[in-house]
Amino acid sequence: MEERITGIIEHIIYRNEENGYTVFSLVREGEELTCVGFFADVREGSGIEATGRYTEHLAYGTQFKIEHCEFRQPDSAETIETYLASGAVKGIKKVLAARIVKKFGDDTLRIMEEEPERLAEIKGISAAKAREIGAAMAEQAGMRKAMMFLKGLGISLKMSIRIYHSYGEEIYTIIRENPYRMAEDIDGIGFLTADRIAARAGIGADSPYRLRSGLLYVLSSAAADGNVYLPEDELMNRAAEILGASFERLSGALQDLAIDRKVIIKQYPSVHYGGHEGDADRSSPCPRIVYFARFYYLELNSARKLLDLSRPGGISEEAAREKIRLLEEKSGTTLEEEQLKAVTLAAACGVLILTGGPGTGKTTTINEMIRYFLREDCSVRLAAPTGRAAKRMTEATGYEASTIHRLLEISSVGDGEMTEGHFERNEENPLEADVVIIDEMSMVDISLFHALVMAVPVGAKLILVGDVDQLPSVGPGSVLRDLLRSEAFPSVCLTRIFRQAASSDIVVNAHHINAGEQILLDNRSRDFFFLKRDDTNLIISNIIELVRDKLPPYVKAKPFDIQVLVPMRKGPLGVERLNSILQEYLNPPSPKKEEKLFGDKTFRVGDKVMQVKNNYELIWEIRGRRGIPRDEGAGIFNGDMGIIRDIDDFAKSIEIEFDEGRMVDYPYSSVDDLELAYAVTIHKSQGSEYPAVILPILRGPRMLMTRNLLYTAVTRAKSCVVVLGSEDSVRGMIRNETELRRCTSLDVRVRELLEC
């Protein structure tokens, strides 16, 4: 129920200057009330009239969550002095505030706004200082005016702050002429938000700016689903539905975008395009397809560089095979024919693709490649997309592996946005390596792949390793599949399951699932269990018991290492609900643990968290004994997991230990990029391996409950898988081979260049 309150702001408890989120104590009728909300500018001593609702927080008690408010300037000498002493006006501190109020009393604020030159009458304030204070007051008035203007357009206070910080006084011109510019300039404002603002500002539905922005929005939405282009007819149909515009007007807007080089339009007699894997025929005429310009050139330049790297040279396959056989004899290792072929091609070719499912000997093959190249006095670099995947690669090979970002020496920049130039290693400053081996290639999107291949020097060897049946990358592209589809590079697919791996039901079941074959759910296994449950609350109760009590001693791991994986974010068994429940049971509140409320999220010491957005500015360090740093770098990336070690309210930071012992002092202003990780989506688990995995599978939409999703989840477990839920749902996922095919064309670019 919405209520109205009035009072005076006595003390600001917490403020995030990035988004305006503020916690303050309000004095009303002699009593204090804690209030929370988003505000453009808030100062102690200000009067406030607000509407909102009372909430109860487990740790902080009663709070008033403000939805709408109006600030009233202090109207008495006492409150004015408090207001100025809080730092409300640039250049005025506590002592100077007292002098000003002593001189002008209740009339202080009027004089500061209308006659600022009179401030020079006060000892310690020069004429120049008086003008500075007057300018600061005018800036405040300008911000208040802008906030009221944006509020009138229905824009939330939180978003208004971001808009004003981006444009300042220019905001009026932008809203009047082209509010759609905000969708391109400001993170968090998409086309739909800009469209609502434009409608309220009186911008016509047929505005050219609207049509162009709408087309870019459709392409952007497609990119979020992994596509680098859309067939023109599909783009037009989607845009027409959203914009209510004719194809004729949309065609004109599309041509304008092409002239501005924001999109690339290509024409092919036939090109594979989006649909579902397993459809009878996904190759059909598509006269024109439309790319974001950036993605087109990422694919084109990646293809060109790959072909440069793959040029034949050096040792022949026959000579390489003989050397490898001699190496086998000395080491006592015996390679299977597929493995021998892979090592031979790695030695003889510039680019090699190695694929295979779990237990098929990829690690043994990589190890033999490394031994061969080291014996040939080659420098070898190993990398994987995530910290966890790199750690696994290090443990499996005995040689240090890093993340691809670290291999390319990512550097931090002021705006935190990712561009190719942010990598220190590139075409002008290539990697110092003779051989580069990349694992978990299914996770690599086109942007990261482009940065990688550009940094590999011509003459070096590039070996790409992965499981093509895993889920595709989170970002746009389908790199591994496209490279295999191009048939332009040597590739080896390992298929034989080795004896040791065959003793694991995790491995055996993973291969059955991938082949569409049903698995045994009879609980006779030592590492693959099924608990039939049809009640979500019972499933959650069992998950808590498994993570906290049962599985840690069984797999000889800590509860923190046991991972709950789920198909979806929403719903009774979704990530969001599970995390809020698991936090309370696995890391409950305690007087000995610091915790902090951020909006509707509570983080406390000991929480398991995940980074959900790339942040290239965060500095991490790996500390040795006595906390002395022995390594440092920049960047925490989407999917990185860690544990909260400390919360420092004075420094306004959270200390988090991420994978590989990377310690980060995480500012409060970046907390929106964190979420609890007791449960994560299967997509987010890519590249990771956990001692034990818990899979609650009860029901869900068909498009999510797919074979390759289940396959990916099962292959994340090293020692134990526990599935809880419905046997019918599990078997339905195995039958459901539906897989959304992405609109990508790296293979087309490769074949196109080969034909030149």
Side-chain angles (χ1 to χ4, degrees):
M1 178 180 175
E2 194 169 79
E3 299 191 42
R4 181 178 294 272
I5 61 170
T6 59
I8 303 294
I9 298 173
E10 182 179 67
H11 175 58
I12 296 175
I13 301 168
Y14 166 73
R15 178 161 173 81
N16 184 330
E17 294 295 344
E18 293 284 324
N19 59 23
Y21 179 74
T22 311
V23 182
F24 61 80
S25 60
L26 187 78
V27 175
R28 55 193 291 267
E29 299 176 355
E31 295 184 354
E32 284 191 25
L33 174 65
T34 300
C35 298
V36 299
F38 294 91
F39 308 97
D41 188 36
V42 56
R43 300 293 174 180
E44 293 169 359
S46 297
I48 187 173
E49 183 174 338
T51 57
R53 55 188 176 84
Y54 288 96
T55 62
E56 286 292 329
H57 189 269
L58 289 174
Y60 302 108
T62 301
Q63 297 179 334
F64 190 80
K65 187 174 182 179
I66 294 175
E67 304 291 346
H68 305 285
C69 72
E70 291 184 9
F71 287 98
R72 299 177 307 209
Q73 285 194 336
D75 53 8
S76 69
E78 182 182 359
T79 55
I80 290 172
E81 183 175 342
T82 301
Y83 174 74
L84 295 177
S86 71
V89 180
K90 185 179 179 180
I92 298 179
K93 302 295 183 184
K94 187 174 182 180
V95 174
L96 192 54
R99 288 181 190 170
I100 296 172
V101 173
K102 184 177 181 181
K103 173 73 175 176
F104 299 115
D106 294 351
D107 206 27
T108 296
L109 293 181
R110 186 196 66 77
I111 288 171
M112 291 176 68
E113 289 179 352
E114 300 175 9
E115 305 174 75
E117 67 278 0
R118 290 189 58 190
L119 294 172
E121 299 172 14
I122 299 170
K123 184 179 179 180
I125 299 182
S126 65
K129 178 78 169 177
R131 286 194 296 272
E132 287 179 10
I133 293 173
M137 290 294 289
E139 184 180 351
Q140 275 197 4
M143 187 173 187
R144 288 196 297 271
K145 178 185 173 185
M147 291 300 105
M148 292 302 294
F149 171 70
L150 294 171
K151 180 182 177 183
L153 294 173
I155 304 173
S156 71
L157 196 52
K158 179 180 179 180
M159 194 57 69
S160 295
I161 294 166
R162 302 179 81 169
I163 294 172
Y164 187 78
H165 284 169
S166 296
Y167 299 127
E169 293 298 311
E170 193 185 356
I171 183 60
Y172 304 104
T173 303
I174 290 170
I175 293 290
R176 183 173 62 252
E177 295 180 356
N178 180 19
Y180 296 98
R181 180 177 152 187
M182 294 186 291
E184 297 183 40
D185 294 346
I186 303 175
D187 187 27
I189 295 186
F191 168 77
L192 298 179
T193 300
D195 200 35
R196 287 194 296 269
I197 295 170
R200 294 185 180 115
I203 303 294
D206 60 349
S207 162
Y209 292 123
R210 180 173 187 263
L211 302 184
R212 291 175 55 165
S213 184
L215 287 165
L216 291 177
Y217 166 70
V218 173
L219 285 175
S220 178
S221 299
D225 292 332
N227 303 293
V228 301
Y229 72 82
L230 280 180
E232 185 182 26
D233 57 353
E234 185 174 346
L235 170 62
M236 290 299 195
N237 285 328
R238 290 193 196 180
E241 184 177 350
I242 293 169
L243 300 170
S246 69
F247 276 32
E248 182 180 2
R249 290 190 62 82
L250 286 171
S251 294
L254 183 61
Q255 289 306 312
D256 289 343
L257 289 171
I259 291 169
D260 290 344
R261 306 299 289 174
K262 292 197 172 182
V263 302
I264 299 293
I265 302 174
K266 298 293 288 185
Q267 191 161 9
Y268 292 106
S270 179
V271 66
H272 62 273
Y273 62 92
H276 293 87
E277 296 285 1
D279 288 355
D281 181 13
R282 296 311 306 171
S283 180
S284 62
C286 177
R288 301 206 319 171
I289 57 178
V290 184
Y291 297 80
F292 262 129
R294 175 173 176 264
F295 292 140
Y296 173 79
Y297 288 111
L298 287 176
E299 286 195 333
L300 178 62
N301 293 330
S302 296
R304 182 176 289 124
K305 183 61 182 289
L306 275 172
L307 291 174
D308 287 343
L309 291 171
S310 67
R311 288 174 182 169
I315 193 169
S316 67
E317 287 188 38
E318 293 76 13
R321 182 175 287 251
E322 184 59 31
K323 283 191 173 187
I324 294 163
R325 283 298 190 195
L326 291 173
L327 195 62
E328 283 184 286
E329 290 176 10
K330 288 184 179 180
S331 65
T333 304
T334 302
L335 295 175
E336 293 294 322
E337 183 56 34
E338 289 176 342
Q339 295 174 311
L340 178 60
K341 180 182 178 183
V343 181
T344 301
L345 288 173
C349 303
V351 175
L352 172 69
I353 304 169
L354 175 65
T355 64
T360 56
K362 291 197 299 291
T363 298
T364 299
T365 307
I366 293 171
N367 283 334
E368 287 303 307
M369 290 178 183
I370 294 170
R371 289 178 56 206
Y372 172 84
F373 288 122
L374 291 178
R375 190 175 180 84
E376 295 294 308
D377 293 323
C378 296
S379 59
V380 181
R381 300 294 300 274
L382 310 179
T386 67
R388 281 180 171 252
K391 184 179 179 181
R392 286 175 58 199
M393 197 177 187
T394 299
E395 292 170 348
T397 64
Y399 296 93
E400 183 180 359
S402 69
T403 63
I404 299 174
H405 289 90
R406 194 172 182 194
L407 176 74
L408 301 179
E409 298 177 17
I410 187 77
S411 60
S412 61
V413 291
D415 63 5
E417 293 295 323
M418 178 61 184
T419 68
E420 185 180 332
H422 298 161
F423 288 113
E424 297 296 328
R425 294 292 182 175
N426 48 46
E427 205 162 16
E428 287 73 38
N429 181 31
L431 294 165
E432 296 172 4
D434 299 309
V435 181
V436 178
I437 303 177
I438 306 297
D439 199 9
E440 295 287 356
M441 266 300 300
S442 63
M443 295 180 63
V444 178
D445 63 27
I446 189 60
S447 297
L448 186 57
F449 184 68
H450 175 265
L452 170 68
V453 294
M454 288 298 144
V456 177
V458 174
K461 296 178 181 295
L462 179 61
I463 300 167
L464 307 174
V465 184
D467 183 346
V468 75
D469 295 311
Q470 298 281 0
L471 290 171
S473 60
V474 174
S478 186
V479 174
L480 185 60
R481 291 190 180 192
D482 276 2
L483 293 180
L484 290 169
R485 190 184 288 124
S486 76
E487 299 181 346
F489 308 101
S491 65
V492 176
C493 179
L494 303 178
T495 56
R496 180 189 170 188
I497 303 176
F498 284 83
R499 183 180 301 173
Q500 185 175 357
S503 66
S504 165
D505 285 319
I506 295 174
V507 172
V508 172
N509 285 341
H511 283 274
H512 282 316
I513 291 167
N514 196 35
E517 300 167 357
Q518 294 298 332
I519 59 177
L520 293 175
L521 299 174
D522 56 8
N523 287 329
R524 294 181 180 178
S525 169
R526 292 185 177 182
D527 60 11
F528 199 103
F529 303 96
F530 174 73
L531 305 180
K532 186 175 181 179
R533 303 286 187 270
D534 57 10
D535 178 79
T536 56
N537 291 328
L538 180 57
I539 289 174
I540 293 171
S541 177
N542 288 164
I543 290 173
I544 293 167
E545 186 179 17
L546 286 165
V547 175
R548 188 176 57 190
D549 306 319
K550 301 290 187 181
L551 287 177
Y554 188 73
V555 297
K556 297 179 176 58
K558 299 176 182 177
F560 176 84
D561 298 319
I562 312 300
Q563 189 60 56
V564 180
L565 301 180
V566 295
M568 62 205 81
R569 292 191 58 82
K570 305 289 186 180
L573 288 175
V575 164
E576 295 176 4
R577 181 170 186 246
L578 282 176
N579 271 322
S580 63
I581 294 172
L582 293 175
Q583 181 192 40
E584 293 304 306
Y585 283 91
L586 302 178
N587 188 33
S590 167
K592 297 180 180 179
K593 295 178 184 176
E594 292 290 334
E595 66 176 53
K596 188 72 180 176
L597 175 68
F598 298 93
D600 58 355
K601 294 189 293 189
T602 297
F603 292 118
R604 69 176 59 98
V605 171
D607 272 338
K608 185 177 181 179
V609 293
M610 173 181 280
Q611 176 81 3
V612 295
K613 182 180 178 182
N614 289 345
N615 187 321
Y616 303 94
E617 296 180 341
L618 287 173
I619 304 299
W620 54 261
E621 58 184 27
I622 298 174
R623 300 167 187 166
R625 292 184 177 180
R626 301 179 181 176
I628 299 173
R630 56 182 176 85
D631 193 10
E632 65 177 23
I636 298 295
F637 305 108
N638 187 359
D640 284 354
M641 294 178 69
I643 187 166
I644 295 176
R645 297 301 185 192
D646 187 37
I647 297 176
D648 189 336
D649 210 28
F650 178 78
K652 305 249 182 303
S653 69
I654 301 175
E655 185 182 59
I656 302 175
E657 182 178 356
F658 285 96
D659 296 331
E660 302 173 294
R662 294 171 297 155
M663 305 298 296
V664 177
D665 287 327
Y666 205 100
Y668 283 179
S669 59
S670 297
V671 162
D672 285 348
D673 295 347
L674 284 176
E675 63 181 34
L676 295 173
Y678 298 99
V680 301
T681 61
I682 296 168
H683 251 111
K684 288 287 188 182
S685 72
Q686 286 176 271
S688 297
E689 184 179 71
Y690 311 97
V693 162
I694 300 172
L695 302 175
I697 297 175
L698 192 55
R699 60 185 67 89
R702 176 177 168 78
M703 62 179 294
L704 285 179
M705 307 294 279
T706 62
R707 179 187 299 170
N708 74 325
L709 193 80
L710 181 60
Y711 172 73
T712 300
V714 168
T715 55
R716 297 308 90 203
K718 182 178 181 180
S719 302
C720 183
V721 171
V722 181
V723 181
L724 303 94
S726 162
E727 182 175 340
D728 288 343
S729 292
V730 174
R731 301 204 180 284
M733 289 181 78
I734 295 172
R735 288 191 298 270
N736 183 10
E737 59 182 326
T738 300
E739 185 181 341
L740 191 65
R741 177 178 284 176
R742 298 179 168 197
C743 294
T744 63
S745 54
L746 180 57
D747 57 325
V748 176
R749 300 280 84 78
V750 170
R751 291 197 299 268
E752 194 176 58
L753 290 171
L754 283 172
E755 292 168 2
C756 291

